[in-house]
Amino acid sequence: MNNILLIEHSLSDKSDLGQQLSEQGYSVHRVNNAFDALVYMETTQLEAILLDYSVPKMDSFWLLVTRKPSTAIIVLADSRCELERINALELGADDYLAKPINIRELQLRLNVLHRRLQAPMNDNFNHDISFDDTSYTIRFAEKSLVLTQTEYRLFKYLFDRQGEVITKQELQRRVLHKELGRFDRNLDMHISNTRRKLVKRNLPRELINTVRGQGYSFNF
């Protein structure tokens, strides 16, 4: 991998992480705001984006991520804050790494994501998906994906309503069979886990799309 976009809170001094990546042969582009990040995403062929979750006002960045899911994104999150990590995965990150960052672990994770994204998909991708309600298995693109019962039901509910935006409240009531509480993250965690399983099977995670401020939708 060559071009890495590093989004950090401050650019006053060259960061240790940026310097370590440069020493490992990466071409590191450093920004500290969503606008500059979007410019790089539009004009530069990026192999990965590293985002420090402490950078403020990144809503526009995540909005573009949902539309352009081909670049691997690793969030650098606070190891003490579980909510940060869950929220990052729910918004569309491929992985997260707790600070302080171990450069060797970061390299390994970058390599894994690179292999997943470069894995060739079937050119004759079949949009027909079959469901096995007994084993909670989904089969498509000549692959099978085994999910938990809740993940399976969420996936199937979204598939049956593909092209529509389904609110979190509706998914919570119809699939999890309870009302959505103000601080309830169970639904987001199930969606995040499903996306990770899709990626592990070299299947597109954007089948389940986040519609920020509204809910989720299923789109081929």
Side-chain angles (χ1 to χ4, degrees):
M1 304 179 73
N2 294 313
N3 288 313
I4 301 290
L5 178 61
L6 177 57
I7 308 174
E8 296 181 293
H9 192 277
S10 174
L11 299 179
S12 57
D13 296 305
K14 190 171 184 179
S15 70
D16 290 339
L17 179 58
Q19 184 173 355
Q20 290 179 73
L21 287 169
S22 297
E23 291 172 353
Q24 296 299 320
Y26 296 97
S27 178
V28 181
H29 309 275
R30 297 176 63 240
V31 299
N32 64 354
N33 60 81
F35 178 80
D36 289 340
L38 298 181
V39 170
Y40 270 106
M41 291 177 69
E42 292 286 355
T43 60
T44 307
Q45 186 65 40
L46 299 170
E47 280 71 29
I49 298 172
L50 307 179
L51 169 62
D52 188 331
Y53 205 70
S54 65
V55 177
K57 298 181 181 179
M58 293 296 290
D59 288 357
S60 54
F61 169 82
W62 288 113
L63 180 62
L64 185 60
V65 166
T66 64
R67 298 177 181 175
K68 295 192 172 186
S70 59
T71 303
I73 301 170
I74 297 180
V75 164
L76 313 179
D78 190 331
S79 61
R80 298 167 296 179
C81 183
E82 181 181 10
L83 183 59
E84 275 193 9
R85 302 194 300 272
I86 293 173
N87 194 41
L89 293 170
E90 189 268 331
L91 285 170
D94 295 284
D95 202 353
Y96 67 84
L97 200 57
K99 296 183 286 187
I101 305 303
N102 181 296
I103 189 65
R104 179 56 180 159
E105 181 181 2
L106 174 57
Q107 281 185 286
L108 292 173
R109 290 180 184 247
L110 287 170
N111 290 339
V112 168
L113 289 173
H114 180 66
R115 289 196 299 269
R116 289 178 184 170
L117 292 174
Q118 291 301 314
M121 288 294 293
N122 189 340
D123 291 337
N124 299 315
F125 184 80
N126 189 348
H127 287 186
D128 292 330
I129 296 180
S130 63
F131 295 87
D132 187 331
D133 294 339
T134 303
S135 62
Y136 309 125
T137 301
I138 298 164
R139 294 183 177 86
F140 65 110
E142 300 181 355
K143 299 177 185 291
S144 61
L145 179 67
V146 180
L147 300 173
T148 67
Q149 181 179 7
T150 301
E151 293 164 357
Y152 177 86
R153 292 174 60 198
L154 279 168
F155 191 100
K156 190 173 183 180
Y157 192 90
L158 289 168
F159 173 80
D160 289 340
R161 302 274 298 276
Q162 58 186 280
E164 301 179 40
V165 178
I166 312 300
T167 65
K168 291 184 178 182
Q169 289 82 0
E170 179 178 343
L171 287 170
Q172 187 88 1
R173 287 195 302 268
R174 296 298 182 89
V175 180
L176 274 62
H177 302 299
K178 61 180 182 178
E179 293 299 320
L180 180 65
R182 182 179 179 183
F183 302 106
D184 193 338
R185 307 294 294 181
N186 284 335
L187 175 63
D188 296 333
M189 289 182 66
H190 289 305
I191 294 292
S192 295
N193 289 335
T194 303
R195 283 173 170 158
R196 288 203 300 273
K197 290 179 180 180
L198 285 167
V199 171
K200 286 181 180 179
R201 295 291 292 147
N202 292 325
L203 294 168
R205 62 177 178 138
E206 62 270 19
L207 286 175
I208 301 177
N209 181 47
T210 299
V211 183
R212 189 165 178 82
Q214 298 182 54
Y216 296 101
S217 66
F218 187 101
N219 292 286
F220 284 109

